[in-house]
């Protein structure tokens, strides 16, 4: 398991002389299956914590990237300062930035939730202190509550993405520049358990999205949706955001999908990175249409193509669970513990699948109505109770599991507000 960021900047396969040309579609599908679904016993956990960043004295003020770079110092990503050493935080977590300069820390994989909590909490505290010294503060919700979307990072990938999404409405620029998520990384599993874990990770999505929805207010206005963030994601390109259909062979299904998904951006050095309209990766391999003037694609090009998917669950050798809104900085552990507990044992995974089947695929309803939707709320309550019974598998101490139990029960029982 390794950290993967939503918007990496790469120079394309021309820089890698070891890249292997993909001979045909079958080779592409096989490559996707091999790198996206690496089987093995579930052992490791990771988390990616994203936050909007604000000037403390005026959260609605446009973020000054120079102030942010000064605050981050040697930890500044090269997408903002190309000459930065881009040093990881003391616990080893790399820092990255999204197009609106949302900041993200991605932990190294840890062998237990206890270790993950220690590393992520320490690095998050360190980051918070760095920012505070320069008058900056992390946001507390999954969407910018104070400012409209504005692209701050000027890179060829982000420029191409903005142009691509613009005709589709505001969803693309909002997703890119105003949203922040909580992403949980878990091992794929082994053998016959893989398909079940893949299915469970998707099926529990709508009730967990509703339970932890935290992005109602955007740019100073009530959006009317409990998770305006996830609606923004869904309002980009359905081919890129649609949840996978659970099936007996997730790796093969994902391989076919990657071949049939149009390119979003095409790294081309100093030229614009806009991809030819409608050109799928399979077309590129076959040299069809606009691909006739391109060099044959390599496995490195396919690696890059994989990073342009924004599905609720994204496989990268492990499963990256992406549907949860960012939580306030001190409250990220509860949803991570719940997801970890719900996937801890095959018997629990089977219960999750059965329990969540009645609300399968109801992503839009969960994002719009959250726990105001009675059927989603009922499943969320039962799912939380199931997760609570399994918290002992996480290795967290009794005091922490008690706090998490009280917190998540309060959410699904309506005794706390979720703004935000």
């Amino acid at each position: 398991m390794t950290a993967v960021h939503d918007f990496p900047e790469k120079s394309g396969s021309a820089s890698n002389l070891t890249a292997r040309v993909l001979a045909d579609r079958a080779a592409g599908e096989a490559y996707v299956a091999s790198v996206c679904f690496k089987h093995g016993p579930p052992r490791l956990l990771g988390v990616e914590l994203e936050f909007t960043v604000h000037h403390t004295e005026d959260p609605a003020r446009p973020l000054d990237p120079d102030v942010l770079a000064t605050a981050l110092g040697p930890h500044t990503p090269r997408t903002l300062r190309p000459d930065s050493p881009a040093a990881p935080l003391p616990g080893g977590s790399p820092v990255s930035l999204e197009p609106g300069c949302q900041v993200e820390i991605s932990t190294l994989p840890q062998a237990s939730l206890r270790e993950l909590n220690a590393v992520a909490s320490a690095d998050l505290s360190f980051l918070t202190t760095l920012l505070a010294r320069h008058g900056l503060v992390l946001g507390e919700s999954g969407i910018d509550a104070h400012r409209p979307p504005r692209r701050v990072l000027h890179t060829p990938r982000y420029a191409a993405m903005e142009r691509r999404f613009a005709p589709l409405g505001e969803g693309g620029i909002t997703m890119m520049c105003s949203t922040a998520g909580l992403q949980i990384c878990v091992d794929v599993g082994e053998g016959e358990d893989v398909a079940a874990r893949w299915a469970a990770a998707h099926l529990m999505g709508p009730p967990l999205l509703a339970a932890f929805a935290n992005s109602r207010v955007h740019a100073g206005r009530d959006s009317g949706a409990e998770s305006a963030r996830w609606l923004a994601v869904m309002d980009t390109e359905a081919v890129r955001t649609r949840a996978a259909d659970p099936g007996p062979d997730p790796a093969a299904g994902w391989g076919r999908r990657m071949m049939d998904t149009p390119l979003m951006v095409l790294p081309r050095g100093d030229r614009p990175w806009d991809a030819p309209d409608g050109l799928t990766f399979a077309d590129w391999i076959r040299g069809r249409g606009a691909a006739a003037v391109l060099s044959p694609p390599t496995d490195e090009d396919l690696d890059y193509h994989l990073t342009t998917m924004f599905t609720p669950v994204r496989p990268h050798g492990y499963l990256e669970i992406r549907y949860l809104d960012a939580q306030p900085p001190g409250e990220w552990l509860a949803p991570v513990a719940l997801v970890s507990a719900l996937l801890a044992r095959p018997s629990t995974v089977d219960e999750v699948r059965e329990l969540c089947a009645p609300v399968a695929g109801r992503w839009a309803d969960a994002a719009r109505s959250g726990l105001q939707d009675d059927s989603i709320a009922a499943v969320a309550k039962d799912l939380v109770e199931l997760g609570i019974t399994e918290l002992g598998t996480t290795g967290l101490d009794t005091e922490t599991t008690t706090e998490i139990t009280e917190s998540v029960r309060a959410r699904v029982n309506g005794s706390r507000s979720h703004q935000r």
Side-chain angles (χ1 to χ4, degrees):
M1 185 187 304
T2 57
V4 175
H5 309 301
D6 280 349
F7 303 104
E9 289 295 324
K10 294 173 63 177
S11 59
S13 61
S15 65
N16 186 351
L17 299 179
T18 65
R20 179 174 61 92
V21 171
L22 297 166
D24 53 28
R25 179 185 176 118
E29 290 186 8
Y31 180 77
V32 170
S34 69
V35 300
C36 290
F37 288 85
K38 295 183 178 178
H39 296 195
R43 297 185 303 107
L44 301 175
L45 290 168
V47 68
E48 301 176 24
L49 303 174
E50 294 177 351
F51 302 95
T52 56
V53 182
H54 304 267
H55 294 279
T56 305
E57 80 287 354
D58 182 6
R61 172 185 166 191
L63 180 63
D64 186 331
D66 291 331
V67 174
L68 178 60
T70 300
L72 293 176
H75 309 290
T76 303
R78 295 192 180 102
T79 49
L80 182 57
R81 292 290 180 266
D83 60 348
S84 171
L89 298 175
S93 306
V95 178
S96 60
L97 295 172
E98 304 297 342
C101 270
Q102 308 96 303
V103 67
E104 175 182 334
I105 63 174
S106 302
T107 65
L108 300 179
Q110 304 296 322
S112 72
L113 187 55
R114 184 193 294 267
E115 294 170 275
L116 180 64
N117 183 30
V119 168
S121 296
D123 278 349
L124 182 56
S125 177
F126 185 85
L127 174 65
T128 302
T129 300
L130 288 181
L131 297 177
R133 289 172 180 167
H134 294 272
L136 298 175
V137 65
L138 298 174
E140 298 211 338
S141 64
I143 201 165
D144 195 321
H146 306 283
R147 302 168 303 207
R150 178 179 72 100
R151 186 162 62 89
V152 180
L153 291 185
H154 300 286
T155 66
R157 172 168 171 142
Y158 299 154
M161 287 178 62
E162 185 173 358
R163 288 190 293 268
R164 183 181 183 89
F165 290 149
L168 303 177
E170 293 296 314
I173 191 66
T174 299
M175 178 191 76
M176 291 173 62
C177 302
S178 291
T179 63
L182 167 62
Q183 298 166 18
I184 305 168
C185 302
V186 299
D187 282 320
V188 168
E190 56 185 344
E192 62 187 16
D193 294 334
V194 173
R197 284 171 65 81
W198 174 250
H202 285 83
L203 287 166
M204 66 184 179
L208 289 183
L209 170 59
F212 293 98
N214 183 35
S215 55
R216 186 177 178 104
V217 175
H218 177 39
R221 301 180 63 181
D222 187 340
S223 70
E226 294 299 313
S227 180
R229 166 188 165 269
W230 195 250
L231 288 182
V233 174
M234 294 176 68
D235 285 341
T236 55
E237 292 181 328
V239 69
R240 219 165 292 286
T241 63
R242 172 180 53 82
D245 296 323
D249 192 346
W254 192 254
R256 290 190 296 270
R257 180 171 176 177
M258 292 306 95
M259 292 300 102
D260 294 330
T261 298
L263 303 180
M264 183 180 74
V265 292
L266 184 61
R268 304 193 251 199
D270 294 334
R271 298 172 56 196
W273 287 18
D274 302 75
D277 288 341
L279 182 70
T280 68
F281 206 91
D283 292 334
W284 190 4
I285 291 176
R286 293 168 182 154
R288 291 181 175 176
V293 299
L294 300 176
S295 299
T298 67
D299 50 12
E300 188 181 73
D301 292 313
L302 186 46
D303 285 335
Y304 194 83
H305 182 53
L306 295 172
T307 71
T308 67
M309 301 298 290
F310 312 121
T311 48
V313 183
R314 187 168 68 175
H316 275 295
Y318 54 92
L319 303 184
E320 185 183 63
I321 295 172
R322 303 170 47 82
Y323 40 74
L324 296 176
D325 285 350
Q327 304 298 299
E331 299 181 24
W332 64 269
L333 181 60
V336 176
L338 201 62
V339 167
S340 177
L342 290 168
L343 295 176
R345 300 190 296 181
S347 60
T348 310
V349 167
D350 289 341
E351 290 186 67
V352 168
R353 294 164 63 198
E354 181 178 358
L355 183 61
C356 297
V359 295
R362 294 188 59 194
W363 299 99
D365 293 334
R368 291 192 185 99
S369 301
L371 296 176
Q372 301 304 310
D373 184 295
D374 291 341
S375 58
I376 292 176
V379 172
K381 289 180 182 180
D382 290 342
L383 188 63
V384 160
E385 290 303 318
L386 175 60
I388 287 171
T389 65
E390 296 292 325
L391 284 176
T393 64
T394 64
L396 296 173
D397 60 72
T398 301
E399 181 180 357
T400 303
T401 56
T402 298
E403 291 174 357
I404 290 171
T405 296
E406 293 173 352
S407 171
V408 296
R409 276 183 175 154
R411 282 180 173 274
V412 295
N413 291 323
S415 58
R416 66 173 282 170
S417 170
H418 317 304
Q419 182 257 310
R420 290 180 220 238

